[in-house]
Amino acid sequence: MTMFPERIQKRIIDFNKSIIQTMKLMDEGFIKSLLVFKNDQFLGMITNGDLQRAIIANKPFDTEIGTLINNSEKKYALVSDDIGLIKKWMLDVRAEMMPIVDADGNLVKVIFWDELFKEPRNNNREKINLPVVIMAGGKGTRLKPITNVIPKPLIPIGDKTILEEIMDQFEGIGCKKFYMSVNYKSDMMRFYLEQLNHHYDIEFFEESKPLGTIGSVSLLKGKISTPFFVSNCDILIDQDYRDVYNYHIKNKNELTIVTAVKSFKIPYGVIETGKDGLMTGLQEKPEITYMINTGVYILNPECIDEIPEGEFFHITHLMEKIKKQGGRIGCFPVSEQAWKDMGDWREYLKVANII
């Protein structure tokens, strides 16, 4: 294979790698696209969005990425193409990079976004202004003893709090109105937010008793008339939520769950048995992949009417209720490392760069 500069070489992946292997490689490199080769032959580019669409289409996690390359959807340019045209293509699809090939399809070079543009890739996307409900009333028991002193949403990450990081991400895509469910140490949260130079548009609503992971949203009946986001107050996800919203609308979901693709490796040989306890199979240290609920959702406004007033009610109860009624609940996948559960000490310390 032709030797390319290191920046390109680090983005090359073999066609027979699986979806889950490719997601892990993207996580390791903090990148969203890779160049797919079969021996010395350049096949095309695979993006994080391609992997998400494959998972949504129920492709197995061990599917080879070479089978996902769609030659009818060109993701490369020719050496003869004008740089102005290449720039327009990259803007249209917000491409992290653009492979440049010769007449025989051989990769010649790669043009990266930061070589042509100064602004971040997603700055030119259309904004969406949807309400955001933040569930911030819990006691944060997993983060004791620090939560004995301050509420979990105010735990710092660098110069900001977890709460500010979450709200800034939503404001970045155009969301302006926040509803915040509070209870534990709510006065401290209100006071802190009032002292900030940047004032968020927040309407607080308070549950008089614990109402579960979604029960307090019943207090918003009559206030929200569009689809809206719901986020736990300890979740950070490296994902443009506009993609989640587009999927929610296109798929005509009542509720969409942002799910993380998480793998667990069993450190033992797993035995499969049949009748009379006879061994039928053996897997040596298998890896199992699941879709994990991250705690971020999009709900249609009608979902609020399905939440009983004043009753303890979890988001899982709402999911079960919608499913029984024949409603559509979609799952939008993100990679394992894109999801940060800041309510867990180990994850919090990683993100805070303490370990």
Side-chain angles (χ1 to χ4, degrees):
M1 182 184 294
T2 304
M3 288 303 296
F4 294 101
E6 184 181 3
R7 190 178 188 187
I8 297 175
Q9 203 70 37
K10 287 164 61 176
R11 292 170 177 262
I12 292 175
I13 189 170
D14 198 73
F15 78 103
N16 62 8
K17 295 296 183 182
S18 68
I19 288 176
I20 194 67
Q21 288 173 322
T22 306
M23 294 186 90
K24 288 181 177 180
L25 189 59
M26 287 182 180
D27 276 346
E28 290 169 6
F30 302 99
I31 53 180
K32 300 293 185 182
S33 52
L34 292 167
L35 304 162
V36 183
F37 276 78
K38 183 177 182 180
N39 299 323
D40 290 335
Q41 180 186 1
F42 173 65
L43 298 183
M45 186 167 68
I46 193 87
T47 68
N48 183 60
D50 294 327
L51 302 179
Q52 290 173 323
R53 285 185 287 274
I55 295 169
I56 289 171
N58 207 30
K59 296 277 188 183
F61 290 110
D62 60 0
T63 299
E64 292 185 356
I65 58 169
T67 66
L68 304 181
I69 301 293
N70 187 346
N71 291 325
S72 65
E73 296 180 1
K74 193 175 85 164
K75 293 180 180 175
Y76 58 86
L78 301 173
V79 290
S80 57
D81 287 328
D82 178 75
I83 189 64
L85 185 60
I86 293 174
K87 189 173 182 178
K88 181 181 182 303
W89 286 344
M90 292 183 74
L91 271 172
D92 288 344
V93 299
R94 302 177 306 282
E96 186 179 33
M97 60 182 179
M98 180 62 70
I100 310 297
V101 303
D102 62 21
D104 296 322
N106 299 310
L107 184 68
V108 176
K109 65 177 181 178
V110 176
I111 297 177
F112 292 90
W113 177 274
D114 59 17
E115 294 173 346
L116 296 180
F117 308 98
K118 292 182 179 179
E119 69 276 8
R121 281 191 305 125
N122 287 326
N123 272 16
N124 66 320
R125 290 190 69 175
E126 184 179 351
K127 304 286 188 180
I128 58 171
N129 187 10
L130 296 181
V132 180
V133 177
I134 298 179
M135 309 301 290
K139 293 185 177 181
T141 53
R142 288 187 296 162
L143 288 178
K144 285 180 177 291
I146 193 170
T147 47
N148 290 335
V149 180
I150 60 174
K152 179 170 59 177
L154 298 189
I155 291 175
I157 303 177
D159 295 332
K160 296 181 180 179
T161 62
I162 296 174
L163 185 58
E164 290 168 89
E165 289 285 355
I166 293 170
M167 292 193 291
D168 286 350
Q169 184 177 4
F170 280 110
E171 282 199 338
I173 64 171
C175 299
K176 298 176 182 177
K177 180 65 177 181
F178 296 92
Y179 296 90
M180 194 171 298
S181 175
V182 295
N183 182 273
Y184 180 69
K185 296 187 181 292
S186 62
D187 289 345
M188 188 178 294
M189 276 191 283
R190 294 174 198 258
F191 178 79
Y192 176 83
L193 291 166
E194 288 172 358
Q195 308 309 307
L196 294 175
N197 291 328
H198 177 78
H199 291 288
Y200 301 94
D201 182 3
I202 304 174
E203 183 173 327
F204 296 93
F205 61 105
E206 189 158 355
E207 52 189 10
S208 57
K209 61 179 181 180
L211 294 176
T213 53
I214 200 70
S216 64
V217 174
S218 65
L219 300 171
L220 296 179
K221 288 180 180 178
K223 289 181 176 288
I224 296 177
S225 58
T226 66
F228 61 99
F229 290 99
V230 173
S231 175
N232 288 348
C233 67
D234 53 7
I235 298 300
L236 296 176
I237 299 179
D238 180 17
Q239 172 67 50
D240 190 321
Y241 288 133
R242 285 170 287 197
D243 296 330
V244 186
Y245 175 65
N246 291 339
Y247 161 71
H248 177 83
I249 296 300
K250 183 179 179 181
N251 207 45
K252 299 179 181 179
N253 296 337
E254 274 86 350
L255 188 156
T256 293
I257 312 163
V258 178
T259 57
V261 178
K262 192 170 181 63
S263 296
F264 300 89
K265 190 162 189 175
I266 299 175
Y268 309 103
V270 174
I271 304 292
E272 297 174 358
T273 61
K275 188 177 180 181
D276 297 326
L278 296 177
M279 187 180 82
T280 59
L282 168 66
Q283 294 185 64
E284 185 61 29
K285 299 180 180 178
E287 189 171 52
I288 304 173
T289 303
Y290 292 102
M291 301 270 271
I292 305 298
N293 182 0
T294 65
V296 177
Y297 318 91
I298 296 181
L299 279 67
N300 282 351
E302 297 78 18
C303 290
I304 300 176
D305 295 327
E306 303 297 333
I307 303 172
E309 296 183 24
E311 292 183 22
F312 190 87
F313 201 72
H314 279 321
I315 187 70
T316 49
H317 297 144
L318 179 60
M319 293 174 189
E320 291 167 358
K321 193 172 183 180
I322 292 172
K323 286 295 292 179
K324 284 181 181 178
Q325 295 172 352
R328 295 173 66 89
I329 299 177
C331 297
F332 185 94
V334 300
S335 68
E336 182 171 350
Q337 295 303 314
W339 171 48
K340 305 298 182 187
D341 178 10
M342 305 301 291
D344 175 78
W345 264 119
R346 185 169 180 82
E347 198 65 48
Y348 167 72
L349 293 175
K350 282 182 183 177
V351 175
N353 292 320
I354 296 174
I355 61 171

